[in-house]
Amino acid sequence: MIYLPPLRRLLLPAIIFLAIIVFYRCSFSASSFPSFILHPPSPPPEGIRVFVTDLQSELFAVVNATESHLIPSSRLYYDVSENGNVSNSTWTYQKPIDQPALKILWQCPVQANRYTNHIRLSAIVRNITQIPPQPLKPEKRVFWNPTIISLPYWAGNQYLVVSRIVTEGHHQENVMCEANVCFVGSEQDAKPGEKPCTEEDLELLGPAGGMRCASTPIALNVPPTPAEQCSGKYGTYVDVPGFHDPRVFWSGSGEPLMMVNTHLHPPLQDLLASSPMHPSLGPLKSYPTLTELTRNPPETRSLIEKNWLLFFPSPGESYIHYDLSYPKNTSARGRTFAKLLGNGFTTANLTDALELPCLLDTDATESDEAKRGGTWHQATNSLRLVLCERKDALCRAQAENTVFFAVIHRKFPNYLDLPLRYERHFMVWSASPPFSMLGISQHPILMTNETASGWTESQNWDDDAVNVAAVAHTKMHKNTTEPYGGKEYWAYFTYTVSIAYAWARTAMEEAGEKNVGFLDDEVVLGIGIDDKGQGFARVRAGELVQCLRACPGRADVGEDDG
């Protein structure tokens, strides 16, 4: 006879066993692991691309790094004693003008306009439209200040565009779409992946074609971080919802990142994931949440901080470049940059104490009133550049021939102290700490169809031989006024928002290669027009960094560094 014990004898062990299972599942669920996971489950072959249907909700958690201040190591890139002597240097230095690898930067094959002092490049500014094929509804919004990155070859579309929307000023709004470029002319005029412009494309973009969203733009919504010092004249800023002036760019490790001017730095990881060439790595995320970046120590902060740019000297390192030196104000803090230590933590300023200012104040010697009163401002993200051509079989990236470059603006006001024009200059830095300032454009840069406010139409186009002839003929035979039968103003002013290497420079270009290029690679500039429009230009990198003025470099030992 078999004896079966009563079920109630198993009740207590069963409850204990169930509790252990529940505790195990809760304690070791996926959400409890760090968000930086090197080996998640392999995605399916077509699952590398993550689509987001709605970004209206607040997707990003916030990390506030306001007090994230760490004292930098005592062993930096240089040590300066009280008498100015340098010891224990961990880097070698040579003045920019004496470095053989940089000589191409000082060459100047283009003549500047005798009135405006601008250099005009052969590329044109073309339009961008957010109206996709077969739109769901009429589009009446006005878009401006586009920030652009090229997408990996496997993405399906060429570019990602984030644009601001013109509002009444009570809120800020930004939208995003994937976009493609259409071309006008023969097949020889087309770049990789471009298709001929349709009649509808030309109606929206104009006769030169341009860039068009492939689908309906998606609204971006980023939550605000705590505002600690929004008082006085900045007190109303707290009541204006939304972020503005976003900068989208690729990190040194191939992450798509976005930085906005409220000290935020969220990844666009929900938009792009890993590459099909490396599916086991998964979506690497340096910033799994919306992370506030800051300046340390706290007493060095301003009430308003904006337009920072990042350097990525290696896939595992990043630095924030806060300020350019400002020669007109002796009380200014000068050039500053710091190293990011993770989660928004930063060091204090790491700028070489003996670096001499590179930006010049020419107001005292400038006779043209239109060229006086400008102030320098950072404008775009940075790109890494190797100073030789990709097609050159002997071209190799080395420490001495690799630099960072970015657009900086010289901003000129009108009589109401409102922007009259933003002059586009290119600044070049060394590609390793302490990121020495190597050179800056001798002349402001214009595209073929751009004009500069502050001068007449005929003065703007004085570097155009055909226009000069038309003006001369009109003056001789007709009693008329500007533009004397020649070209007119193209725009009141333009503002360069972003720079990115163009799509498909190589057949199988990976995301990790998007932040580095060569002199013969094309760069796409995102350009805002009159605070009510947007465009882009595509220029060889070598044209952008030609005709630079060499920075003075580092003061000799014992030389006054002021």
Side-chain angles (χ1 to χ4, degrees):
M1 181 175 179
I2 299 175
Y3 174 72
L4 295 177
L7 291 178
R8 66 170 177 263
R9 295 185 180 181
L10 300 177
L11 183 60
L12 182 59
I15 293 174
I16 295 174
F17 183 73
L18 180 62
I20 293 174
I21 293 177
V22 171
F23 175 79
Y24 178 86
R25 294 295 299 274
C26 293
S27 299
F28 299 96
S29 63
S31 61
S32 66
F33 285 101
S35 56
F36 187 93
I37 301 175
L38 286 177
H39 299 285
S42 298
E46 299 300 326
I48 55 169
R49 185 174 173 75
V50 181
F51 291 92
V52 177
T53 57
D54 184 11
L55 292 183
Q56 305 262 9
S57 60
E58 294 183 355
L59 296 177
F60 308 106
V62 179
V63 174
N64 186 349
T66 300
E67 298 304 326
S68 300
H69 169 50
L70 296 181
I71 300 299
S73 169
S74 58
R75 186 175 184 270
L76 297 177
Y77 314 111
Y78 41 77
D79 290 321
V80 183
S81 62
E82 293 182 0
N83 60 7
N85 294 324
V86 181
S87 60
N88 299 328
S89 175
T90 61
W91 61 290
T92 58
Y93 179 76
Q94 188 179 16
K95 290 187 179 297
I97 196 67
D98 297 329
Q99 298 182 36
L102 304 182
K103 64 181 181 180
I104 193 171
L105 301 177
W106 325 130
Q107 298 173 7
C108 195
V110 184
Q111 188 173 358
N113 183 300
R114 59 175 173 164
Y115 295 106
T116 68
N117 196 40
H118 288 78
I119 284 180
R120 195 180 299 276
L121 304 183
S122 59
I124 65 172
V125 179
R126 293 192 281 171
N127 289 324
I128 300 173
T129 179
Q130 259 68 21
I131 301 176
Q134 301 178 342
L136 300 177
K137 60 181 180 180
E139 182 60 81
K140 298 181 180 180
R141 296 175 296 180
V142 178
F143 304 91
W144 60 305
N145 280 15
T147 176
I148 304 168
I149 57 171
S150 61
L151 297 173
Y153 71 93
W154 44 266
N157 294 303
Q158 295 175 307
Y159 295 95
L160 183 75
V161 183
V162 176
S163 301
R164 294 181 65 179
I165 295 177
V166 175
T167 67
E168 295 179 353
H170 303 303
H171 73 288
Q172 303 288 344
E173 189 172 354
N174 295 264
V175 297
M176 172 186 62
C177 75
E178 294 182 13
N180 298 299
V181 176
C182 71
F183 73 92
V184 176
S186 65
E187 292 288 340
Q188 287 75 20
D189 299 322
K191 303 296 181 180
E194 293 184 356
K195 297 180 180 179
C197 293
T198 65
E199 291 186 7
E200 185 182 54
D201 291 335
L202 296 178
E203 288 180 7
L204 296 170
L205 297 168
M211 188 178 295
R212 185 179 184 183
C213 286
S215 57
T216 302
I218 301 171
L220 283 173
N221 186 19
V222 176
T225 53
E228 292 191 347
Q229 298 186 29
C230 283
S231 57
K233 65 179 181 179
Y234 301 116
T236 57
Y237 283 29
V238 180
D239 300 322
V240 180
F243 67 96
H244 54 95
D245 292 343
R247 299 290 187 269
V248 179
F249 50 92
W250 290 99
S251 75
S253 57
E255 299 169 288
L257 303 174
M258 182 172 72
M259 181 163 58
V260 300
N261 72 355
T262 50
H263 308 190
L264 310 182
H265 192 183
L268 296 181
Q269 193 61 48
D270 290 307
L271 308 176
L272 302 172
S274 61
S275 161
M277 301 295 291
H278 307 284
S280 63
L281 292 178
L284 303 182
K285 293 192 285 187
S286 298
Y287 298 89
T289 58
L290 181 64
T291 304
E292 180 179 352
L293 307 178
T294 190
R295 184 200 297 267
N296 285 308
E299 59 268 19
T300 63
R301 300 170 191 159
S302 298
L303 291 177
I304 294 293
E305 299 276 6
K306 61 181 299 184
N307 292 355
W308 297 347
L309 60 88
L310 269 68
F311 294 139
F312 301 99
S314 68
E317 289 185 299
S318 54
Y319 294 77
I320 305 177
H321 195 278
Y322 300 105
D323 290 307
L324 299 162
S325 58
Y326 185 46
K328 294 184 68 173
N329 186 351
T330 56
S331 65
R333 56 195 157 204
R335 187 170 86 96
T336 53
F337 79 92
K339 185 173 184 177
L340 276 162
L341 304 175
N343 296 319
F345 283 72
T346 59
T347 66
N349 182 26
L350 299 178
T351 305
D352 185 351
L354 296 182
E355 182 178 68
L356 298 171
C358 184
L359 304 180
L360 300 178
D361 177 16
T362 59
D363 281 6
T365 58
E366 180 55 64
S367 59
D368 188 344
E369 185 177 351
K371 298 177 184 177
R372 295 199 297 263
T375 56
W376 295 100
H377 302 268
Q378 294 181 173
T380 71
N381 56 292
S382 71
L383 292 176
R384 191 179 178 95
L385 177 65
V386 183
L387 297 177
C388 52
E389 295 193 345
R390 183 184 293 270
K391 65 182 180 183
D392 184 354
L394 300 178
C395 177
R396 297 288 185 274
Q398 299 174 340
E400 59 268 20
N401 72 345
T402 305
V403 298
F404 285 111
F405 74 101
V407 174
I408 66 171
H409 284 142
R410 195 173 187 194
K411 179 182 176 181
F412 287 84
N414 61 16
Y415 66 96
L416 295 176
D417 204 29
L418 298 174
L420 174 67
R421 71 178 180 274
Y422 292 92
E423 290 187 343
R424 180 187 299 121
H425 294 256
F426 285 85
M427 175 67 75
V428 174
W429 297 263
S430 60
S432 58
F435 307 110
S436 303
M437 299 174 77
L438 302 176
I440 182 176
S441 302
Q442 290 187 45
H443 309 279
I445 306 297
L446 289 177
M447 303 303 151
T448 289
N449 54 341
E450 283 186 299
T451 50
S453 298
W455 294 275
T456 66
E457 293 94 329
S458 59
Q459 289 173 334
N460 261 280
W461 298 107
D462 184 72
D463 48 12
D464 184 316
V466 174
N467 194 75
V468 170
V471 169
H473 181 270
T474 304
K475 285 183 175 181
M476 182 179 300
H477 298 284
K478 297 180 181 179
N479 182 18
T480 185
T481 58
E482 288 280 6
Y484 297 127
K487 295 182 180 180
E488 300 181 356
Y489 274 118
W490 177 77
Y492 183 66
F493 67 81
T494 57
Y495 184 98
T496 309
V497 185
S498 68
I499 54 175
Y501 286 114
W503 185 79
R505 295 173 295 161
T506 61
M508 303 284 281
E509 186 178 51
E510 293 291 343
E513 304 171 73
K514 290 290 186 180
N515 195 49
V516 61
F518 298 82
L519 291 173
D520 52 345
D521 286 336
E522 287 192 321
V523 176
V524 173
L525 288 74
I527 299 172
I529 304 168
D530 289 348
D531 280 352
K532 59 181 180 182
Q534 57 181 350
F536 74 100
R538 191 163 45 194
V539 189
R540 289 178 70 254
E543 291 185 71
L544 300 177
V545 296
Q546 67 182 351
C547 201
L548 302 188
R549 171 178 57 81
C551 294
R554 202 164 188 258
D556 295 330
V557 174
E559 182 180 339
D560 182 15
D561 65 345

